[in-house]
Amino acid sequence: MLVNVSYNNKEITRKVDNEVGKPFTLKERFAMKGIGSPKLYIKETSVEIANLLLLDNNLDSCNIEMRPKGIIIRFRSLLETYALVIPYYKLSVYKGDLGIYSVFKDHHFIKVKSDTKAIQKFFRKFLDYKADNAPTSIEDL
C-alpha cells in the first residue's frame, strides 16, 4: 500500500496500523537497540514510485521503520511524505549486486545502496526479526 502520510489522517493511520501493527513501545525500542534504519539512498524503483520521485530534483533517499507485523519505507517528494507499507508476509528482500538491497512487495520495489556496515546490520536485524516472528509454516510441521 503506497500512501501519502504528510498530514495527520486518522483513516490512513488506522489502515497502516491494521496492515503492519502499532509502533513498538519505548521499552521494546530500547531492547531492540532501535527500530529505524540509517538514511538509505535509492538507486532504482518501480514505475509508480519513480513517477513520484521524478517530481523534484533532490537526491532520492528513504528510511525504513520496523513494526511488529511489517515495515514502512518512507520517502519524500515535493514537500510530501509517502509511505510504502509492507507486511512481512508480502516482503521479499534480495541482496543483488555489490552493496545493493532490493525490497519487493507485489508490484512495488525499491533498490537501495548499502555501502556501510550500519545499513547491512539493520537489514540483518529486521530480517532476523521477521524470521523469529513468522507463523509456523506447513513444511516445519
Side-chain angles (χ1 to χ4, degrees):
M1 169 169 66
L2 183 63
V3 291
N4 184 339
V5 292
S6 298
Y7 309 105
N8 194 6
N9 186 336
K10 291 181 183 178
E11 183 64 25
I12 291 176
T13 303
R14 186 187 57 76
K15 284 181 182 178
V16 169
D17 288 347
N18 286 341
E19 192 87 12
V20 293
K22 294 200 177 285
F24 288 107
T25 63
L26 192 59
K27 184 177 180 181
E28 291 171 325
R29 291 177 191 204
F30 278 121
M32 295 173 72
K33 298 181 182 165
I35 60 164
S37 72
K39 188 175 193 177
L40 304 170
Y41 293 101
I42 298 173
K43 289 303 214 182
E44 187 180 344
T45 63
S46 58
V47 174
E48 192 174 352
I49 297 170
N51 289 340
L52 291 171
L53 292 173
L54 281 175
L55 296 174
D56 66 352
N57 294 326
N58 296 331
L59 190 61
D60 297 335
S61 64
C62 64
N63 69 334
I64 299 175
E65 175 191 348
M66 290 174 53
R67 291 279 183 105
K69 297 188 296 184
I71 63 170
I72 300 174
I73 302 175
R74 288 191 175 91
F75 57 93
R76 293 184 56 88
S77 177
L78 283 182
L79 301 175
E80 301 283 323
T81 304
Y82 295 92
L84 179 61
V85 181
I86 307 174
Y88 284 135
Y89 68 91
K90 288 189 173 186
L91 174 68
S92 298
V93 178
Y94 298 103
K95 177 127 172 50
D97 295 338
L98 184 65
I100 302 285
Y101 278 100
S102 303
V103 180
F104 287 87
K105 178 212 177 197
D106 297 336
H107 62 278
H108 295 294
F109 73 90
I110 295 179
K111 294 184 181 183
V112 296
K113 193 162 87 170
S114 63
D115 54 353
T116 65
K117 291 282 186 192
I119 295 171
Q120 294 167 2
K121 186 177 175 183
F122 174 78
F123 271 94
R124 175 60 31 220
K125 180 197 304 185
F126 95 75
L127 289 173
D128 289 344
Y129 183 83
K130 174 189 172 186
D132 291 343
N133 295 299
T136 307
S137 67
I138 300 249
E139 292 85 26
D140 293 342
L141 297 176

